[in-house]
Amino acid sequence: MFTSIRWRIILPYTLLVILSVAGVGFYLNNILYQTQLQTLQERLTDDALLIGNSLLETLEDEEVWQIINDSSAHWAELIGGRVTIIATDGTVLGESHQDFAQMENHLNRPEIRDALNNGFGSHIRYSQTVKYDMLYVALPVKQGATILGFVRVSLPLNEIEARQAQSRTTVFTTMLVAASLGILLSVFIALRVTRPLQWLTQEARQMTQGGMLRHIPSSRQDEVGQLTQAFNALVEKLDSQIRALQSERGKLVSVLAQMTDGVVIADGDGRIILINVAAERMFKTPSESAIGCTVAQILRHHQWIELWERCRQTEQEQFDMLELPRQDIFIQGIALPLGDALPEHILMLFQDLTRIRRLETVRRDFISNISHELRTPLASLKALVETLRSGALDDPPAAQRFLYHMETEVDALAHMVSELLELSRIESGQVPLKLKSASPRKLLAKAQERLSVQAERSKLTISLDCPKKLPRVRVDKPRLGQVLMNLLHNAIKFTPSSGSIILSAQAQDDVILFYVQDTGRGIPADDLPRVFERFYKIDPARSTGGTGLGLAVARHLVEAHGGKIWVESVEGEGSTFYFTIPILQSPEQ
């Protein structure tokens, strides 16, 4: 409670008010008591003077004590008090309330001594005679300079005490009202001072808990108002900075999320403090469990741990390569110290170069394959030309035969160049498709018809297994016919005699699934991912003929129609090539 500014204001202020009011109250009470006592004292003094003047003649005659005693009773009745007449030797000559003859000597009474010494005596004490406090006033009765005796007048103080009790009640009531008003005023002041501070504290606490930043209204011009204005200015600045940081953070998160390279930031102890989506996929760990873990726990490879350690020790950029042939993975790692931006922190960048390495392999194979494809016909042409030069021209039948072979090789080269140009145009989108509605069954039947003679020559059977009523497709008929021809030609080429080939199509969701199934020798599992690459041939000796471009052309034509193509095969059991074409939105039957 005492740690609150409100109570630090209320309690001292309340204590000050209470002490001040209490002090004033006790002072006033004492002043009233003294005033009433002085007034009573003055009254008794006047009564004592009056009684003393009336007793001058009586006190000269010592034999009239009874008269004096009667006079005491009479005067006591008149003044409403107690009257005592005392001789100079202290003997009581008259007493209004007691038998004077039984009373002890009063010469040693304080008021009598003061009257004897100073001419006036007053004293308050408890009376053993009447059993309550009395105010005694004593005056000497003089004749000239001679003291004839003493007159003592007294009154009980119960009347003064009653008046004092009434006054004390009034004073204390006033004190209570004043103290209550003072306390209420202190509470009001404390609340007025601390309420803005409470608002400031509440807003600051909400800010620390991530709450909304809000302005605190204030029209005050005092120190609290200035503090509120400063707080509002701070809120505006913080809001602006937070928005800027949120914008920068959003940009950073977006960049990190869209990056294909893995990003990991580790502190000086090797604890992960940031990991992006690409790194999560690369190392197969979610960011929730990765944050706070060590580099060794997340990266799980000694090369990356050593890369981080080298960068931490040298504080310089470090590189390393990781190749996992069995998993067909090739990753480049880069470790960078973040320097003054984040001291002792290291940024690790992981670039998955697997696709680039694969493309390099494809490019290398492509160059090797096309070189091989061109070398054979060129070598044949060179040999034929040299033969003709060396004298074959003089032998017309031989010359005719050599020219025929030369023409065959030139046709093969021309066909290869034509397919390469066609493939290049298809890939670059320079071949516009003339899309028309077509029946899937008629497309398959036309391909079957065109290659039926070749199939019969190879002693193969081609069967058409396709429902008569299928949703129509929107295709470029010559181009899609070329796809079917390429697939069917390959099936005939790689299927031994007495084999069978099935052409089929069926509706699946919003596409028509075409497939060509054969009972040929099949495709090895390692070659399946690459059969649609240009110039790629399954036969290592490349003795099967063909350019190796047919499936590449088929893939690009299917994709140009919005479909996809793939193959399923078991070596020694045959292959099935599939491709899909979207169904017309409003099919024509």
Side-chain angles (χ1 to χ4, degrees):
M1 181 176 69
F2 295 102
T3 59
S4 172
I5 295 180
R6 178 185 301 176
W7 288 107
R8 288 183 181 180
I9 295 175
I10 293 176
L11 291 179
Y13 198 90
T14 301
L15 183 60
L16 177 62
V17 169
I18 292 175
L19 291 177
S20 300
V21 172
V24 171
F26 285 118
Y27 175 75
L28 290 176
N29 184 66
N30 186 56
I31 289 295
L32 290 174
Y33 179 77
Q34 294 298 329
T35 300
Q36 292 176 2
L37 187 63
Q38 184 177 359
T39 300
L40 183 60
Q41 189 176 7
E42 290 175 354
R43 171 191 163 191
L44 293 179
T45 301
D46 293 340
D47 291 342
L49 285 173
L50 182 61
I51 294 172
N53 290 332
S54 67
L55 291 177
L56 286 175
E57 296 179 358
T58 306
L59 291 174
E60 294 177 352
D61 188 358
E62 297 180 356
E63 296 181 357
V64 288
W65 285 4
Q66 187 61 44
I67 297 174
I68 293 174
N69 187 58
D70 293 339
S71 298
S72 300
H74 174 69
W75 283 106
E77 184 178 352
L78 291 177
I79 67 174
R82 180 181 176 185
V83 179
T84 306
I85 311 300
I86 303 168
T88 56
D89 61 355
T91 304
V92 177
L93 301 179
E95 167 60 38
S96 62
H97 288 70
Q98 296 288 333
D99 184 5
F100 68 93
Q102 301 296 327
M103 299 182 69
E104 61 184 10
N105 192 287
H106 278 43
L107 187 62
N108 292 325
R109 299 294 170 90
E111 65 275 7
I112 301 300
R113 287 200 308 271
D114 291 342
L116 178 63
N117 296 327
N118 303 321
F120 176 78
S122 178
H123 194 71
I124 298 174
R125 69 176 178 274
Y126 182 77
S127 174
Q128 296 293 335
T129 303
V130 296
K131 305 301 182 181
Y132 46 77
D133 289 338
M134 300 286 291
L135 172 62
Y136 295 94
V137 175
L139 291 176
V141 181
K142 294 182 179 180
Q143 190 171 18
T146 304
I147 297 177
L148 301 178
F150 301 94
V151 176
R152 188 184 72 175
V153 182
S154 63
L155 282 174
L157 294 181
N158 53 357
E159 181 180 352
I160 295 179
E161 290 177 354
R163 292 180 181 177
Q164 186 67 19
Q166 184 178 2
S167 300
R168 189 181 299 113
T169 301
T170 303
V171 170
F172 285 160
T173 302
T174 305
M175 288 171 56
L176 182 60
V177 173
S180 299
L181 292 176
I183 292 172
L184 292 176
L185 179 62
S186 68
V187 172
F188 174 76
I189 294 174
L191 291 176
R192 182 171 175 78
V193 171
T194 58
R195 185 175 291 112
L197 298 179
Q198 286 181 329
W199 290 345
L200 290 173
T201 304
Q202 183 177 359
E203 291 299 324
R205 186 175 292 113
Q206 289 182 355
M207 288 168 57
T208 59
Q209 296 175 353
M212 183 183 298
L213 302 180
R214 295 180 297 180
H215 281 67
I216 298 178
S218 176
S219 59
R220 301 172 58 166
Q221 301 300 323
D222 56 4
E223 289 80 358
V224 176
Q226 294 175 5
L227 176 61
T228 304
Q229 294 174 3
F231 180 83
N232 290 335
L234 176 62
V235 166
E236 291 180 0
K237 188 172 182 180
L238 282 176
D239 185 60
S240 176
Q241 291 180 347
I242 289 173
R243 290 180 183 275
L245 288 174
Q246 287 177 342
S247 176
E248 294 298 325
R249 184 177 182 274
K251 294 177 184 177
L252 178 60
V253 170
S254 298
V255 170
L256 290 176
Q258 298 302 322
M259 286 182 63
T260 57
D261 296 338
V263 176
V264 175
I265 297 180
D267 59 15
D269 297 327
R271 299 282 178 182
I272 304 296
I273 64 170
L274 185 144
I275 182 170
N276 72 340
V277 178
E280 292 178 21
R281 291 195 301 265
M282 194 175 295
F283 299 108
K284 297 179 177 59
T285 178
S287 60
E288 293 79 7
S289 59
I291 300 300
C293 295
T294 63
V295 172
Q297 291 174 320
I298 301 304
L299 305 185
R300 296 191 293 272
H301 201 282
H302 69 91
Q303 282 187 237
W304 303 141
I305 302 172
E306 293 172 359
L307 178 67
W308 171 81
E309 186 66 28
R310 288 201 310 272
C311 183
R312 186 180 67 85
Q313 292 177 355
T314 61
E315 297 185 354
Q316 294 180 353
E317 185 176 355
Q318 300 292 327
F319 296 86
D320 204 346
M321 297 286 185
L322 175 64
E323 185 172 7
L324 302 175
R326 292 184 178 179
Q327 302 179 19
D328 193 20
I329 293 176
F330 184 77
I331 299 175
Q332 175 180 261
I334 305 173
L336 299 167
L338 295 178
D340 296 335
L342 285 174
E344 298 184 358
H345 286 64
I346 295 175
L347 168 65
M348 301 187 73
L349 183 66
F350 299 96
Q351 299 174 327
D352 189 352
L353 303 180
T354 304
R355 183 171 179 272
I356 296 176
R357 175 62 65 89
R358 188 179 297 116
L359 291 175
E360 289 179 354
T361 302
V362 171
R363 181 181 60 84
R364 188 170 55 249
D365 291 347
F366 171 74
I367 295 174
S368 175
N369 292 337
I370 195 171
S371 299
H372 184 85
E373 293 293 335
L374 292 173
R375 186 183 300 116
T376 300
L378 290 175
S380 298
L381 287 172
K382 184 178 175 73
L384 291 170
V385 170
E386 290 177 352
T387 303
L388 288 173
R389 281 182 178 179
S390 58
L393 288 174
D394 297 332
D395 186 0
Q400 288 294 329
R401 188 171 62 255
F402 289 156
L403 288 175
Y404 174 77
H405 287 305
M406 290 174 66
E407 184 179 9
T408 302
E409 296 296 339
V410 170
D411 289 341
L413 285 173
H415 179 68
M416 183 185 305
V417 172
S418 176
E419 286 192 330
L420 278 174
L421 290 174
E422 181 75 4
L423 181 60
S424 177
R425 292 174 61 194
I426 293 172
E427 288 179 346
S428 61
Q430 295 180 4
V431 178
L433 298 178
K434 299 178 181 179
L435 301 178
K436 294 182 180 179
S437 175
S439 167
R441 182 179 178 86
K442 290 182 178 180
L443 292 172
L444 292 173
K446 188 172 182 179
Q448 178 188 23
E449 180 183 355
R450 292 181 62 182
L451 291 180
S452 59
V453 175
Q454 185 178 349
E456 290 176 1
R457 191 164 48 240
S458 299
K459 298 181 180 180
L460 300 175
T461 59
I462 302 177
S463 57
L464 180 61
D465 182 13
C466 179
K468 293 183 179 181
K469 291 186 178 181
L470 280 176
R472 299 178 71 85
V473 291
R474 186 176 176 81
V475 297
D476 185 323
K477 295 181 181 179
R479 297 292 181 183
L480 196 64
Q482 184 179 357
V483 173
L484 290 171
M485 291 287 290
N486 288 347
L487 296 179
L488 186 55
H489 183 270
N490 281 348
I492 294 172
K493 184 192 306 182
F494 294 104
T495 302
S497 299
S498 302
S500 63
I501 300 172
I502 299 175
L503 298 177
S504 181
Q506 60 185 30
Q508 287 190 352
D509 298 329
D510 56 350
V511 297
I512 297 296
L513 175 65
F514 294 85
Y515 63 88
V516 179
Q517 184 178 13
D518 63 59
T519 58
R521 63 189 185 187
I523 303 173
D526 294 338
D527 293 321
L528 283 175
R530 302 189 60 186
V531 294
F532 293 100
E533 296 176 8
R534 63 181 74 182
F535 289 111
Y536 187 80
K537 293 186 177 182
I538 301 172
D539 182 10
R542 311 185 66 84
S543 60
T544 56
T547 61
L549 297 174
L551 291 180
V553 171
R555 177 171 66 89
H556 286 288
L557 287 175
V558 169
E559 291 175 353
H561 281 82
K564 59 181 180 178
I565 187 171
W566 70 98
V567 61
E568 295 178 0
S569 179
V570 177
E571 192 172 5
E573 296 182 6
S575 305
T576 304
F577 283 83
Y578 299 90
F579 68 90
T580 59
I581 299 296
I583 295 174
L584 274 176
Q585 296 298 324
S586 299
E588 301 174 6
Q589 300 300 334

